Amino acid sequence: MKQQASTGPLAQDGEGRPSRLPRRVLFVVTVYLICFLWGTAMHLVDLASGGHNSYASPAPAPIRVYFVALVLLDPLAAVLLARLRPFAVIVACAVMTVDVSANYYVNWPQISQHPDYLLRPLGLLPFTLFALFVAGTASPLYRHLARIAGARKPIDDNAG
């Protein structure tokens, strides 16, 4: 007979989900979710208004393809985070690293001519701030989600 662990800060409900999260973890996951869902919405708006040519800038084709792929990658990160999967943190880091790098690459001519371009509220500032937030919280969030994943595994009463 299998039984779920149900003690400590990782207490679980009847379906094996954590019944409570520390506030700081809940805050971090909420920020990730909001930002990835906002990114999804922005990329959907871009594609709805310009189709697959929405990113027909001087960017190389692989970067344009990546920007279109964010319509799938951003919600993937959000779903994994909502399910509290440790792999979500790896996906979030990868998505944000490539996204910020690609955006800086594409916008470098404007940045080099007008450094205040970075400070525009709807320009690179949100990407940069969120990327820094992800970089600063990824390791502790991954460790916490890994503990939750470990607590989800059923305990076999017949063992030992």
Side-chain angles (χ1 to χ4, degrees):
M1 180 166 187
K2 294 182 179 181
Q3 184 177 11
Q4 298 288 332
S6 61
T7 60
L10 300 178
Q12 297 179 353
D13 64 11
E15 296 180 19
R17 293 183 305 247
S19 60
R20 59 190 162 119
L21 288 173
R23 285 187 181 169
R24 68 185 185 283
V25 174
L26 184 59
F27 172 77
V28 170
V29 169
T30 301
V31 170
Y32 276 45
L33 286 171
I34 290 169
C35 291
F36 279 112
L37 293 175
W38 177 75
T40 301
M42 294 298 98
H43 288 287
L44 285 171
V45 166
D46 289 345
L47 289 175
S49 64
H52 71 284
N53 290 323
S54 297
Y55 304 105
S57 67
I63 290 177
R64 293 194 314 265
V65 169
Y66 180 75
F67 287 155
V68 172
L70 285 170
V71 170
L72 299 174
L73 294 173
D74 282 348
L76 171 66
V79 167
L80 290 170
L81 284 160
R83 296 183 53 100
L84 302 175
R85 301 292 190 231
F87 185 65
V89 180
I90 296 168
V91 171
C93 288
V95 166
M96 287 312 300
T97 299
V98 176
D99 194 4
V100 169
S101 300
N103 271 287
Y104 272 83
Y105 177 83
V106 169
N107 291 292
W108 191 251
Q110 293 91 332
I111 296 168
S112 62
Q113 290 178 359
H114 306 285
D116 65 326
Y117 187 77
L118 290 173
L119 301 177
R120 295 181 185 166
L122 297 176
L124 293 176
L125 185 62
F127 295 113
T128 305
L129 293 176
F130 181 53
L132 291 171
F133 182 78
V134 169
T137 59
S139 181
L141 180 60
Y142 181 86
R143 284 192 309 268
H144 192 82
L145 295 183
R147 280 196 308 265
I148 291 172
R152 275 193 198 120
K153 293 182 180 169
I155 299 169
D156 189 353
D157 286 342
N158 297 327

